[in-house]
Amino acid sequence: MIMEATLQNSTDFILLGLITHPEFPGLIFAVVFSIFLVSVTANVVMILLIHVDSRLNTPMYFLLSQLSIMDTVYICITVPKMLQDLLSKEKIISFFGCTLQIFLYLTLIGGEFFLLGLMAYDRYVAVCKPLRYPLLMNRRICLFMVVGSWVGGSLDGFMLTPFTMSFPYCGSREISHFFCEIPAVLKLSCVDTSLYETLMYACCVLMLLIPISVISVSYTRILLTVHHMNSAEGRRKALATCSSHIMVVSIFYGAAFYTNVLPHSYHTPEKDKIVSAFYTILTPMLNPLIYSLRNKDVATALRKVLSRCPSSQKTRVVDMSRKY
């Protein structure tokens, strides 16, 4: 009661968490922390492999390294606070902290939308125009794609964050979520936000339509090209290069479709939190695992690096023994 009275006179919020009153917070902490650790480790390893192994210095892997960077930052803006709240009685987040979470979340999810679309274009050029691939996907164009993805995502953050946080929040300060997601925050506003929510809905649909259109056109052209291939081996290789990206796109856009496209009548706070947990906690872990397990180049590069570790240790031991 004292905390509620204090918070009504402050600008801070309370995050109620993924489960409002968990019976086993320690177990939830252990599971979420394990996923967080695997996700960060897998993405960092993916980034290092792409920069260390010369065979992975291609446009496809350069774009993949950017996806891993986005996923690493993405999971780091929500999960550490969630883990802290699981062990703390005071689940407070400051007004600035909430604003920063919203901005970074919008920037990264928007950037990932665009990047996945551009990765589909990269696969289209590789399969349908292989001879022109070095020209159409040179270093300058790849950098332009990456910068465009980050800028496109940040525009979403710069547009929606100031409007969301400018509404008066004069009632309860309890956000029924584990991080500051816009729909959950807007429920606390003491003014009508329906017009803003409609405009935000239109903006999100537009942001989804642009990359989905690129993905749809790219894979339609890829399938047509594969269909006309005479070599069965060529078909297999072409589809193998696209399968990992298709899986990642299906997982990410499936969750995004539920969040941003389905009408409010299909939403409940519990469903929203589960879907949000899926694409903020699980998706950053699944992306590098899908690409590493289904990709021979990445698997080979990882084995190569791991095989160096024991040999380098043996060399050190031999050198030390020779010294003494």
Side-chain angles (χ1 to χ4, degrees), residues 21-166:
H21 299 291
E23 292 184 19
F24 305 103
L27 178 62
I28 297 171
F29 178 91
V31 171
V32 175
F33 180 73
S34 300
I35 294 171
F36 174 73
L37 200 62
V38 171
S39 176
V40 173
T41 304
N43 279 293
V44 170
V45 167
M46 181 69 77
I47 295 164
L48 292 174
L49 283 176
I50 290 168
H51 283 83
V52 166
D53 197 295
S54 58
R55 288 176 299 179
L56 302 182
N57 292 335
T58 64
M60 181 182 83
Y61 292 111
F62 175 69
L63 296 176
L64 179 56
S65 71
Q66 296 303 309
L67 181 67
S68 289
I69 291 169
M70 286 182 178
D71 281 339
T72 305
V73 180
Y74 192 39
I75 198 170
C76 287
I77 63 173
T78 55
V79 173
K81 176 60 180 167
M82 180 187 179
L83 292 171
Q84 180 189 340
D85 290 344
L86 283 168
L87 300 178
S88 173
K89 290 182 179 179
E90 296 183 0
K91 303 177 181 182
I92 297 171
I93 184 168
S94 67
F95 184 87
F96 174 76
C98 193
T99 304
L100 187 63
Q101 258 195 357
I102 290 173
F103 173 75
L104 291 174
Y105 162 76
L106 290 172
T107 298
L108 289 161
I109 199 169
E112 202 153 327
F113 283 156
F114 291 122
L115 187 63
L116 287 171
L118 293 169
M119 288 172 77
Y121 171 76
D122 168 74
R123 293 298 82 212
Y124 155 71
V125 177
V127 174
C128 302
K129 299 180 183 294
L131 297 178
R132 298 185 66 193
Y133 186 76
L135 178 66
L136 294 175
M137 291 298 297
N138 59 51
R139 186 74 176 175
R140 187 176 177 181
I141 291 173
C142 288
L143 286 171
F144 180 76
M145 285 179 167
V146 169
V147 172
S149 298
W150 282 99
V151 171
S154 64
L155 285 175
D156 195 31
F158 280 119
M159 282 192 299
L160 297 181
T161 307
F163 282 110
T164 301
M165 302 312 287
S166 65

Side-chain angles (χ1 to χ4, degrees), residues 217-251:
V217 171
S218 297
Y219 278 110
T220 301
R221 297 294 298 272
I222 288 170
L223 288 173
L224 289 171
T225 303
V226 170
H227 178 70
H228 289 100
M229 283 182 179
N230 296 321
S231 168
E233 180 66 19
R235 288 180 188 175
R236 189 191 63 78
K237 286 183 73 176
L239 292 173
T241 58
C242 302
S243 60
S244 298
H245 183 256
I246 292 170
M247 287 182 68
V248 170
V249 164
S250 301
I251 292 168

